[in-house]
Amino acid sequence: MSKPKIFITRRIPDAGIDMLAEVAEVVVNPEDRTLSRAELLASVADCQGVIGLLTEKIDAEFFDAAPKLKGYANYAVGYDNIDVAEATRRSIPVSNTPGVLTDATAECAWALIFATARRVAEADRVMRSGAWQGWGPLQFIGQGVRGKTLGIVGAGRIGTAMALMSRGFDMRVLYTSSSGRRNAVLEDTLKARLVPFDTLLAEADFISIHTPLTPDTRHLFDAAAFGRMKRTACIVNTARGPVIKEDDLVDALKNGVIAGAGLDVFEREPAMAPGLAGLDNAVVLPHIGSATVESRTDMATLAARNMLAMLAGQRPETCLNPDIFGPAFFDAERSDRKGGAKA
Ligand code: DGY
């Protein structure tokens, strides 16, 4: 029997590719760059499986271009790039990579909090320029973090991990929840409080965004929201760029409406809003939240396991549209497993 063909739209760590190569013909985009739309569509024409990136739109046109597709695995936890409803309508399973990048992303949010609070990137630039003339009492004065109020927008996996990391800094923690559900871990461990969005804006010294991008969260942070924050507050975004209206953020940073911003994601990646690059009170990173050896490797092996399951007609571990497998499938799967165990 011929091997199924899997296309990986950009090189990922070998650990994942090696797992797939045992059972499939694996083709990896040979160039380390994002494919054009036309290249992507042409590359998937005869594939049973595709592992792709957050930079690619996985929509009806994509599925039309891949008529043999048995499954699509996103190499990311965020899946605003996938039309999940369309995949479900076509009974194509789709998966993402939750869990394995939680700590890496939470740590990146902290890196941005410290970098903005203590003006790290700005000070580094001055050192490298040769302009530093020696120690001075009024140079690069930033803000302390200990004892301040941390506001978590979206207390899911990453938001929770990020908040728990505040324990060494005795912070008061506020959080919002789009479902209105309380986060027992945060409340029990940190005495965190679920508050309305406006309360979080008004009281937080550091706001960290961890909400997914949805129609409700697009431009959640706009001029009005910045206007309700403390003038001394810093905002950090490691989630998705369009949660912040970036042009409004540039105005707020320029005019002292808020004190600083640390951004790992941007509204129109890879571009930044005009004016942002020139602002010393913005720290900007090229979407590296999950970029640790551990996370990127685990993302690759999770995506590979998901792909292997989908090729076998099974529900992947982290499935975004489990309904397509239906209750009948689960019963059959359970009895198969039992049979296998006995044998
Ligand atoms: C994700 O997984 O959604 C990140 O943005 C990249 O790892």
Side-chain angles (χ1 to χ4, degrees), residues 54 76-78 80 101-113 151-154 157-163 207-213 221 235-244 261-266 269 283-291 296:
L54 56 95
V77 63
D80 47 281
L101 44 77
T102 301
D103 288 336
T105 310
E107 287 166 4
C108 184
W110 277 104
L112 286 169
I113 290 212
I152 302 285
V153 176
R157 274 190 203 84
I158 300 173
T160 300
M162 197 278 175
I207 293 180
S208 193
I209 301 176
H210 299 287
T211 182
L213 175 63
F221 284 88
I235 189 165
V236 159
N237 189 6
T238 52
R240 283 292 180 267
V243 176
I244 290 181
L263 306 176
D264 183 45
V265 289
F266 301 87
E269 290 182 16
V283 177
V284 290
L285 301 178
H287 204 146
I288 57 167
S290 65
R296 290 284 165 88

Side-chain angles (χ1 to χ4, degrees), residues 247-270:
D247 292 324
D248 288 5
L249 175 65
V250 171
D251 289 342
L253 291 170
K254 258 188 196 154
N255 299 322
V257 177
I258 64 171
L263 306 176
D264 183 45
V265 289
F266 301 87
E267 193 175 351
R268 297 172 285 269
E269 290 182 16

Side-chain angles (χ1 to χ4, degrees), residues 58-61 63-64 83-92:
I58 305 303
D59 55 8
E61 186 185 39
F63 293 123
D64 284 344
D83 186 341
V84 178
E86 183 60 30
T88 305
R89 204 177 61 71
R90 296 172 187 238
S91 299
I92 298 172

